[in-house]
Amino acid sequence: MYSVVSIAILVTMVLAVVRALRGPTVYDRVLAVNMFGTKTALLLSVIAFLVGRPDFLDLALAYALINLVGMLAVLEFFQSQPRDLPESGHD
Amino acid sequence: MSDISFQRGKALPLQVAGLLLALMASWLLWSGIYKPLLLGLGLFSVVLSAWLAQRMGFFRHPISLRALLRLPAYWGWLLQEVVKSSLDVARIILTPSLPISPTTVELPAATSTEAGRVILGNSITLSPGTVTIDVHGDRLLVHCLTRESALELKELEAQRRLARLELG
Amino acid sequence: MTETVLDILSWILLCLGGCFVLIGGIGALRLPSFYTRLHAASLTETMATLLIFAGMMLQAGLSLATLKLAAIMVFLLLTGPTASYALANAALQSGMRPKAGRLDGSFEGEQT
């Protein structure tokens, strides 16, 4: 049963990656990456139960923390860039 | 957002004790190993975190114990709203014709405290279908997926519930 | 007896959570613009998180794992909206206007 949930989460992660690749704006990509990150935390918690290893929960928390800080850092980076540049990068 | 000054605020002993206690509890919960060395390291990190929090102005926005005790009632109401709006959004996404009518609406925050505004903005964002996109002064700019959810927000139910917490 | 009931209840919660995750993912693909996609993301971030963690907490019973799950859930629920707001506000500040109707006249045109 946990495997069903983890497959659902994995499919959504794939959909998020598709959205990240399609864009069209930078913010769409950041949104997709953030969604991917929170889904990773969720997936790690489910895997902890799937394989019966509670220590995966610690990883989930660590990932959730890193995801938040990482996303805020990325946004800070985009905001500090000059405004008049058109949508700058795919990379 | 312009009134961010790095004044440290006066920390009340009760608040500091509460923060230290909460931090220590989470250290004990996540560490799971109770040896003197690790407990000592935990104590060190707890004090360090509390000091950093004080530097960041954590104690500038005191929340009374009474408000904290009333928070669960607010959460109960919020949970109900989240479930309702999630079902709405899920139905909209699954409908082939995608019946969305994006609407922005400006709402009064109706609280004087910064903590109140944060809670209000976060609760609005938390329920699917409505996202706070800007806060200026005591006005919130909210983007709604449908016109109906915008109309619902205009009834200011969240503000009324929040006022009952008596944060300030 | 209560074991079975709890089991069934938690499976239902987990399945519903999985459904909401999927719907959110589909929404992130289907919805037409950035600001509307935010709503799909918040669907997976709040409702799905709540359901899946509630289901797992029922499975874990009274144990350290439940406490940890509750801590992760509260953390995700507190930070999710903050991240959404930061993202939406950054988009707005960069000059990206939502294509949306206005409900009241009190909002004065194009301001940030």
Side-chain angles (χ1 to χ4, degrees):
Chain A
M1 185 52 82
Y2 290 121
S3 47
V4 175
V5 180
S6 32
I7 288 168
I9 296 175
L10 277 172
V11 170
T12 300
M13 284 164 89
V14 172
L15 293 177
V17 170
V18 172
R19 177 43 78 194
L21 291 176
R22 272 217 213 147
T25 67
V26 169
Y27 297 102
D28 282 295
R29 295 177 215 273
V30 178
L31 176 68
V33 169
N34 179 45
M35 205 168 142
F36 190 86
T38 51
K39 295 295 93 59
T40 312
L42 210 55
L43 182 66
L44 278 171
S45 325
V46 176
I47 284 178
F49 278 75
L50 179 66
V51 301
R53 287 179 59 181
D55 31 338
F56 267 66
L57 288 177
D58 302 22
L59 301 182
L61 184 78
Y63 207 95
L65 279 163
I66 291 170
N67 180 49
L68 175 75
V69 175
M71 202 194 87
L72 292 180
V74 166
L75 286 178
E76 198 61 34
F77 172 71
F78 281 131
Q79 278 192 312
S80 64
Q81 292 212 318
R83 288 284 161 76
D84 50 3
L85 275 179
E87 200 241 314
S88 51
H90 294 219
D91 39 18
Chain B
M1 290 283 144
S2 57
D3 60 340
I4 291 178
S5 55
F6 285 91
Q7 64 180 71
R8 310 218 167 148
K10 229 178 84 184
L12 301 169
L14 195 66
Q15 285 182 299
V16 179
L19 180 66
L20 287 176
L21 214 65
L23 287 173
M24 201 66 219
S26 55
W27 174 278
L28 291 177
L29 169 64
W30 291 98
S31 143
I33 302 168
Y34 307 111
K35 285 181 191 157
L37 172 68
L38 281 164
L39 287 180
L41 284 175
L43 203 62
F44 173 70
S45 352
V46 163
V47 172
L48 183 69
S49 314
W51 177 67
L52 282 176
Q54 192 257 347
R55 255 183 80 89
M56 286 165 67
F58 182 79
F59 299 111
R60 262 187 304 146
H61 313 295
I63 291 183
S64 65
L65 197 62
R66 208 179 28 167
L68 276 183
L69 290 178
R70 285 191 194 155
L71 215 48
Y74 180 73
W75 281 351
W77 171 77
L78 191 60
L79 181 67
Q80 207 179 312
E81 289 299 300
V82 166
V83 171
K84 242 192 293 173
S85 50
S86 306
L87 289 174
D88 278 350
V89 173
R91 189 178 44 77
I92 288 168
I93 289 174
L94 291 181
T95 310
S97 61
L98 215 57
I100 56 169
S101 46
T103 308
T104 57
V105 59
E106 207 179 58
L107 301 170
T111 58
S112 51
T113 61
E114 216 165 279
R117 265 181 307 213
V118 169
I119 294 178
L120 181 66
N122 263 11
S123 335
I124 289 175
T125 311
L126 197 59
S127 30
T130 51
V131 176
T132 313
I133 58 176
D134 202 9
V135 181
H136 42 107
D138 62 344
R139 314 282 291 170
L140 305 173
L141 183 61
V142 182
H143 185 275
C144 307
L145 192 57
T146 61
R147 209 182 152 72
E148 289 75 50
S149 52
L151 285 171
E152 212 170 289
L153 278 182
K154 284 297 275 183
E155 287 166 21
L156 304 185
E157 179 68 20
Q159 279 87 336
R160 237 170 292 143
R161 298 264 173 179
L162 199 61
R164 262 183 241 161
L165 287 177
E166 293 173 28
L167 286 163
Chain C
M1 184 56 209
T2 42
E3 282 286 297
T4 348
V5 173
L6 277 184
D7 256 5
I8 293 170
L9 194 61
S10 74
W11 292 140
I12 292 173
L13 286 174
L14 281 168
C15 278
L16 277 176
C19 291
F20 271 105
V21 168
L22 269 182
I23 293 170
I26 295 168
L29 271 193
R30 277 197 75 198
L31 288 168
S33 70
F34 165 71
Y35 288 100
T36 50
R37 277 175 216 131
L38 270 177
H39 299 296
S42 85
L43 186 69
T44 67
E45 250 152 51
T46 56
M47 195 59 191
T49 307
L50 271 172
L51 285 170
I52 290 178
F53 277 98
M56 288 195 293
M57 274 153 80
L58 281 185
Q59 280 288 310
L62 275 177
S63 66
L64 204 62
T66 307
L67 273 179
K68 287 189 177 183
L69 281 174
I72 300 176
M73 183 175 89
V74 168
F75 180 81
L76 282 177
L77 289 181
L78 283 181
T79 57
T82 315
S84 291
Y85 169 74
L87 182 59
N89 201 35
L92 194 72
Q93 301 280 334
S94 80
M96 197 167 142
R97 302 277 159 207
K99 256 187 232 148
R102 297 242 163 77
L103 209 57
D104 56 342
S106 69
F107 182 71
E108 300 117 36
E110 311 273 270
Q111 53 161 279
T112 49

